[in-house]
């Protein structure tokens, strides 16, 4: 009898199931993507549902993981100065154990503000925010260079932002 390899089973469990959404769900998502503080009665008027129907749908979208968080988009220029660094990380071996261990390690690093497991020559793309190059040097020495699973990493220092994170840009995907 054929049995899948354990890694295949784990990968299958990690995959996310698509939600079954109708046009009203998409309209509600578009509204909360612009402003999570917009009252349900206002959204209801725009999408053509009652306030209670919008509230029920928002609860369902949150409960099913379609809406995973209500967040504030912060202008980093108004906070302390930071240097944004993109880091391409290649592991010695691209296997499930090594990738999961590295991903968990990155989740614990406060300097890592975003991270993706990617395809191609590189295994991970990190976005690191630090106050100084010295802080990045410390991070790269203590976290990346000291990791036996990391084969190499490439540092790309951002000179300027071209496209700022904007949830409204994603409206075309819905």
């Amino acid at each position: 009898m054929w049995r899948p390899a354990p890694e295949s089973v784990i990968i299958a469990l990690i995959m996310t199931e698509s939600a079954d959404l109708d046009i009203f769900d998409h309209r509600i998502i578009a509204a909360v993507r612009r402003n999570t503080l917009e009252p349900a009665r206002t959204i209801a008027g725009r999408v053509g549902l009652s306030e209670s129907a919008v509230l029920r749908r928002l609860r369902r979208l949150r409960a099913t993981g379609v809406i995973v968080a209500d967040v504030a988009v912060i202008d980093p220029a108004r906070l302390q100065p930071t240097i944004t660094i993109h880091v391409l990380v290649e592991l010695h071996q691209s296997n499930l154990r090594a990738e999961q261990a590295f991903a968990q390690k990155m989740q614990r690093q406060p300097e890592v503000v975003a991270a993706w497991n990617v395809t191609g020559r590189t295994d991970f793309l990190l976005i690191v925010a630090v106050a100084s190059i010295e802080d990045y040097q410390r991070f790269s020495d203590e976290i990346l260079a000291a990791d036996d699973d990391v084969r190499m990493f490439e540092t790309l220092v951002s000179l300027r932002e071209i496209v700022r994170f904007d949830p409204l840009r994603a409206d075309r995907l819905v």
Side-chain angles (χ1 to χ4, degrees), residues 147-158:
D147 189 327
D148 291 335
D149 287 332
V150 173
R151 183 168 107 47
M152 60 137 321
F153 60 94
E154 182 177 353
T155 300
L156 306 165
V157 178
S158 296

Side-chain angles (χ1 to χ4, degrees), residues 112-167:
V112 178
V113 296
W116 295 268
N117 187 203
V118 297
T119 62
R121 167 181 79 77
T122 308
D123 295 303
F124 286 89
L125 167 62
L126 311 177
I127 298 180
V128 176
V130 290
S132 68
I133 289 297
E134 292 78 19
D135 289 341
Y136 177 69
Q137 183 69 53
R138 194 170 19 266
F139 169 82
S140 66
D141 288 346
E142 294 173 7
I143 304 302
L144 299 175
D147 189 327
D148 291 335
D149 287 332
V150 173
R151 183 168 107 47
M152 60 137 321
F153 60 94
E154 182 177 353
T155 300
L156 306 165
V157 178
S158 296
L159 299 177
R160 63 188 170 100
E161 185 175 59
I162 304 300
V163 178
R164 175 166 294 217
F165 171 75
D166 178 3

Side-chain angles (χ1 to χ4, degrees), residues 14 89 91 93 95-110 112-118 123-126 139 143-144 147 149-150:
I14 293 171
V89 180
L91 302 178
Q93 294 183 352
N95 61 52
L96 187 59
R97 185 212 55 81
E99 289 178 0
Q100 286 179 338
F102 186 79
Q104 289 171 357
K105 183 177 183 178
M106 291 306 102
Q107 290 171 348
R108 294 189 303 269
Q109 306 310 313
V112 178
V113 296
W116 295 268
N117 187 203
V118 297
D123 295 303
F124 286 89
L125 167 62
L126 311 177
F139 169 82
I143 304 302
L144 299 175
D147 189 327
D149 287 332
V150 173

Side-chain angles (χ1 to χ4, degrees), residues 12-79:
L13 293 174
I14 293 171
M15 294 180 70
T16 302
E17 189 175 313
S18 295
D20 186 25
L21 305 175
D22 64 17
I23 189 67
F24 293 111
D25 292 326
H26 285 285
R27 289 177 183 163
I28 292 168
I29 290 167
V32 296
R33 192 178 255 149
R34 279 186 224 89
N35 179 3
T36 63
L37 298 177
E38 184 173 6
R41 68 181 166 338
T42 308
I43 295 171
R46 277 200 284 125
V47 302
L49 290 172
S50 68
E51 180 178 353
S52 62
V54 167
L55 289 169
R56 268 193 313 276
R57 285 171 180 262
L58 283 169
R59 276 192 297 277
R60 179 178 49 80
L61 291 168
R62 287 183 174 100
T64 58
V66 173
I67 297 174
V68 294
D70 295 299
V71 299
V73 179
I74 308 298
D75 181 358
R78 298 194 178 267
L79 302 176

